[in-house]
Amino acid sequence: MTYLSRIRINPLRAESRRLLANPRAMRGAVMGGIPDAPQGDRVLWRLDADNPRRPHLFVLTSAKPDWTHIVEKAGWPDADGEHAAVRDYAPLLDQIAVGREFAFRLTASPVQNTAAPMSPTPTQAARLAAAADSDSKRVRGFRLGHSTASAQLNWFLTRTARWGFDVPTARTDAPAPGLADSRTADDARNTEVGTEDAGPARDIRITASRRHSFVKNGKGPRVTIQSATFEGRLQVTDPAAFVTRLLEGIGPSKAYGCGLLTLAPLRSRTTLQ
């Protein structure tokens, strides 16, 4: 059985500040709530901090979790309300069908692979120098995060077919009479090369973009993640592929809060089903 949890975080407590600042620390807290997780099981989580006074932690698990330790150390243990909501995920999965539309939210880590980074870090420069001195001259590719909104959107929109859904055209009103043909000759000459045929706008937006950098395992190599939060409307095209992405996540850096795709009815735009 699969469960989706939503945990309230109190941002004023010391333990909360530690968890909110470090994806590795948050991952440790998440894993501490799943005593019977199967070996190799993928646990997806996401921190929604768009309201800094009321951040929420979302977690998808295949075993029923216990979030008492997070509520006691980083929540409001004596306050009214539901501190940690845990819901069966099966009713949502039963709704997945071709053509079904949902509102969605996803925090992902858009990346590209390259053998020649433009501004290599000291570690990358050392690898390049070592490869140059070796006989093979072959360099294993570097995974680099996309930092611009256009590159992040392109990364997302060029992969939705394999993930089992499409992002429909944005629902906008028709232009007023005369405005549709108001583009002047100067406008055409000044259009940026490569954007002339961008096509109709899709129903998607980036609501947050962050760069995380932390030391792995306390004294290991430094990990750097560039993440983007996407929100919008999607339409299911391949239910099997779509369910796989819901359960296994999207993109890299899943251990550090990326990859969890959550859905909501289009009208309510609430996240937890």
Side-chain angles (χ1 to χ4, degrees):
M1 186 174 291
T2 304
Y3 298 90
L4 179 63
S5 302
R6 181 179 62 190
I7 305 113
R8 296 193 303 181
I9 302 294
N10 182 346
L12 300 181
R13 303 185 68 178
E15 179 64 8
S16 302
R17 291 195 293 270
R18 187 180 75 87
L19 297 179
L20 293 171
N22 189 327
R24 181 177 173 275
M26 183 65 85
R27 177 175 182 269
V30 168
M31 298 308 294
I34 313 164
D36 296 325
Q39 186 71 23
D41 187 38
R42 172 67 68 186
V43 176
L44 299 174
W45 64 273
R46 185 184 76 222
L47 179 66
D48 283 0
D50 42 334
N51 182 348
R53 299 174 58 186
R54 297 287 186 274
H56 284 91
L57 172 66
F58 289 83
V59 188
L60 188 71
T61 61
S62 61
K64 191 169 185 178
D66 178 6
W67 307 118
T68 303
H69 63 299
I70 295 181
V71 174
E72 290 182 344
K73 295 183 178 179
W76 287 271
D78 296 324
D80 290 337
E82 194 171 29
H83 305 293
V86 180
R87 299 286 187 268
D88 181 2
Y89 208 47
L92 172 66
L93 298 180
D94 291 341
Q95 300 178 41
I96 305 305
V98 173
R100 185 69 191 271
E101 292 192 351
F102 298 92
F104 74 90
R105 172 176 280 195
L106 166 72
T107 294
S109 180
V111 297
Q112 60 178 326
N113 292 314
T114 178
M118 295 181 62
S119 301
T121 65
T123 301
Q124 293 167 348
R127 280 180 51 188
L128 290 169
D133 293 337
S134 67
D135 294 333
S136 66
K137 306 297 183 185
R138 294 187 61 184
V139 182
R140 184 164 55 90
F142 299 96
R143 176 180 287 180
L144 303 179
H146 287 298
S147 58
T148 66
S150 60
Q152 292 168 345
L153 277 174
N154 183 66
W155 176 88
F156 183 93
L157 291 173
T158 55
R159 287 164 172 78
T160 55
R162 76 179 69 163
W163 296 336
F165 64 89
D166 184 30
V167 176
T169 302
R171 294 169 175 167
T172 56
D173 296 334
L179 290 181
D181 300 324
S182 62
R183 193 166 180 262
T184 66
D186 286 341
D187 292 335
R189 283 193 294 271
N190 293 329
T191 299
E192 184 179 354
V193 175
T195 63
E196 302 91 338
D197 299 320
R202 304 292 192 90
D203 200 347
I204 183 174
R205 61 191 180 280
I206 294 178
T207 59
S209 182
R210 293 191 61 185
R211 182 179 183 274
H212 304 273
S213 184
F214 54 92
V215 176
K216 189 175 182 180
N217 299 327
K219 56 182 179 181
R222 179 163 290 276
V223 176
T224 300
I225 300 171
Q226 184 73 42
S227 69
T229 299
F230 303 92
E231 290 185 23
R233 177 170 58 101
L234 63 77
Q235 184 177 60
V236 179
T237 57
D238 183 339
F242 186 64
V243 169
T244 297
R245 289 307 102 209
L246 286 174
L247 298 178
E248 298 183 5
I250 289 176
S253 303
K254 298 182 182 69
Y256 302 116
C258 296
L260 175 59
L261 175 67
T262 53
L263 308 176
L266 282 171
R267 290 185 178 180
S268 65
R269 296 270 176 172
T270 53
T271 308
L272 187 62
Q273 302 300 309

